[in-house]
Amino acid sequence: MAIYFGQDLKSDFSGDLVVNSRGDFELASATRTYIDQISFVLRTISQDFAASNYTVGANLHQFIGQLITDALYQDFEYRVISVISKTLIKRNDLEVTVVPIDVDEFLIYIKVDGLFINNNGEYETDALDIIFSFPMFEGDGIRLISFQSRSS
């Protein structure tokens, strides 16, 4: 089990940065930072960030509108696992379950085991459960449905 640490700027549901009463940007927890990073990687097309890094995006847009077959299902699950384990989470700390819920729609359950520690060295949690839908009901892409920290 790896240690995951670091914090990023906090954003609200619409993506706007959160500013505190003193006018300073707030920091997200380490847990929320990793949830946001996973969501970003899954929603991104790699060419969107070609100037800096071709490995950022999962390119899941290629699956939108396709009927689910065994080969497509396996390719989708492999793509989710490989992009997250290549860029964010150690492979042995990552479990991904993709569940078809319609002929062209998935739920993606992501379980991350690891110690999450903030920049102050404070323990936050030792595991995350994250659920996304793909594609979003109201448009293309991926949507975070829920997340939960699990402490032992």
Side-chain angles (χ1 to χ4, degrees):
M1 185 182 313
I3 296 173
Y4 300 100
F5 61 92
Q7 293 173 272
D8 203 349
L9 294 176
K10 186 176 185 178
S11 60
D12 62 18
F13 184 75
S14 63
D16 296 329
L17 295 177
V18 176
V19 178
N20 65 21
S21 60
R22 295 183 314 220
D24 296 328
F25 291 116
E26 289 190 28
L27 291 177
S29 66
T31 305
R32 186 62 204 210
T33 296
Y34 274 90
I35 291 168
D36 290 346
Q37 289 175 350
I38 290 170
S39 177
F40 175 77
V41 165
L42 293 180
R43 289 183 291 120
T44 302
I45 300 169
S46 60
Q47 291 81 12
D48 285 350
F49 294 90
S52 61
N53 189 344
Y54 280 106
T55 64
V56 169
N59 295 321
L60 296 180
H61 69 286
Q62 297 169 343
F63 295 96
I64 293 173
Q66 296 188 41
L67 295 179
I68 298 172
T69 63
D70 285 341
L72 181 103
Y73 170 81
Q74 290 170 4
D75 189 24
F76 187 92
E77 188 170 70
Y78 172 79
R79 181 107 39 109
V80 170
I81 291 169
S82 64
V83 73
I84 294 172
S85 63
K86 182 172 27 173
T87 59
L88 296 170
I89 304 294
K90 291 188 178 291
R91 178 63 186 104
N92 57 343
D93 291 342
L94 178 66
E95 181 181 322
V96 174
T97 305
V98 177
V99 180
I101 57 173
D102 203 344
V103 294
D104 60 353
E105 191 174 335
F106 295 110
L107 284 181
I108 308 164
Y109 169 70
I110 299 172
K111 177 182 173 184
V112 179
D113 290 321
L115 299 175
F116 290 84
I117 298 173
N118 66 24
N119 284 347
N120 297 326
E122 299 163 336
Y123 165 82
E124 290 182 5
T125 189
D126 59 4
L128 290 175
D129 294 312
I130 314 165
I131 300 174
F132 295 98
S133 70
F134 174 86
M136 289 175 23
F137 298 115
E138 58 272 354
D140 294 343
I142 194 161
R143 178 174 63 114
L144 175 65
I145 294 178
S146 70
F147 68 91
Q148 178 178 358
S149 299
R150 290 179 285 115
S151 297
S152 48

